Amino acid sequence: DGGITQSPKYLFRKEGQNVTLSCEQNLNHDAMYWYRQDPGQGLRLIYYSQIVNDFQKGDIAEGYSVSREKKESFPLTVTSAQKNPTAFYLCASSKGGLAQFFGPGTRLTVL
Amino acid sequence: SQQGEEDPQALSIQEGENATMNCSYKTSINNLQWYRQNSGRGLVHLILIRSNEREKHSGRLRVTLDTSKKSSSLLITASRAADTASYFCATAMNSGYSTLTFGKGTMLLVSP
């Protein structure tokens, strides 16, 4: 049963804490992406990776970090440097850079 | 900055009616894609149209692309309550591996 999973579904963070959002895919896709979505808004690209051990900043990378040690996994860390992290985070993957397949999302709330 | 801008922002129709959403963009593209998002969920890819194509169909979906006007439209025919969702257009500037730039979406409500 192929797909892309994200965990946790809901995450609460205290100010000053780093948190890591998980994204795993078993679609054998080369490229993976992280987006942020704010209420009533479209998606904004945080980071993306086209191959293992390589990744590039998107439009809003400040305050975030990623790693791509395995093809299947692309975790996103929201650091304390991100001043307004409350948002819905979506991970996606694609093969050949065409249609993207999305995970169910993680809703992060800062307390 | 966001490349695609959808119009209208919100659309409310009755079941059985057709729904048309429009997307405008600013720079040349390789392809344009439409996605659907149910409330609080991930996005689902609906259809991709390349810059050298003018029209594409998939089931009850019809997408057109006018590169001279830098615009696209998504038509959903015979709408159902299950079509209630937000619809986003996304543009890719390059072929091969290319990031997508999303618009803010059109929220569609289909009433029974």
Side-chain angles (χ1 to χ4, degrees), chain B residues 83-95:
Chain B
D83 294 328
T84 294
S86 291
Y87 292 81
F88 295 89
C89 68
T91 53
M93 293 175 67
N94 305 307
S95 61

Side-chain angles (χ1 to χ4, degrees), chain A residues 47-63:
Chain A
Y47 268 99
Y48 65 102
S49 168
Q50 295 176 351
I51 55 172
V52 174
N53 293 322
D54 189 42
F55 48 83
Q56 285 78 41
K57 292 181 180 179
D59 299 319
I60 55 165
E62 186 174 350

Side-chain angles (χ1 to χ4, degrees), chain B:
Chain B
S1 63
Q2 285 174 307
Q3 164 81 307
E5 293 290 338
E6 289 91 342
D7 171 60
Q9 289 187 332
L11 181 60
S12 182
I13 60 173
Q14 300 290 119
E15 267 192 326
E17 294 180 339
N18 294 344
T20 299
M21 289 158 265
N22 302 297
C23 170
S24 60
Y25 57 92
K26 296 183 178 120
T27 62
S28 295
I29 61 171
N30 175 270
N31 68 78
L32 185 145
Q33 304 176 30
W34 285 91
Y35 289 81
R36 183 187 76 229
Q37 183 181 34
N38 290 89
S39 181
R41 310 286 289 272
L43 278 69
V44 174
H45 180 261
L46 295 176
I47 198 164
L48 180 153
I49 186 165
R50 290 185 166 82
S51 59
N52 62 353
E53 298 175 311
R54 290 298 165 256
E55 189 171 311
K56 211 160 180 183
H57 296 256
S58 177
R60 293 183 296 111
L61 306 181
R62 173 179 168 253
V63 169
T64 61
L65 179 64
D66 186 335
T67 53
S68 67
K69 294 182 180 177
K70 291 187 171 59
S71 67
S72 172
S73 67
L74 170 67
L75 168 67
I76 304 174
T77 60
S79 296
R80 305 166 182 168
D83 294 328
T84 294
S86 291
Y87 292 81
F88 295 89
C89 68
T91 53
M93 293 175 67
N94 305 307
S95 61
Y97 286 104
S98 177
T99 59
L100 295 177
T101 304
F102 286 82
K104 294 184 179 181
T106 291
M107 191 178 300
L108 173 66
L109 174 63
V110 182
S111 302

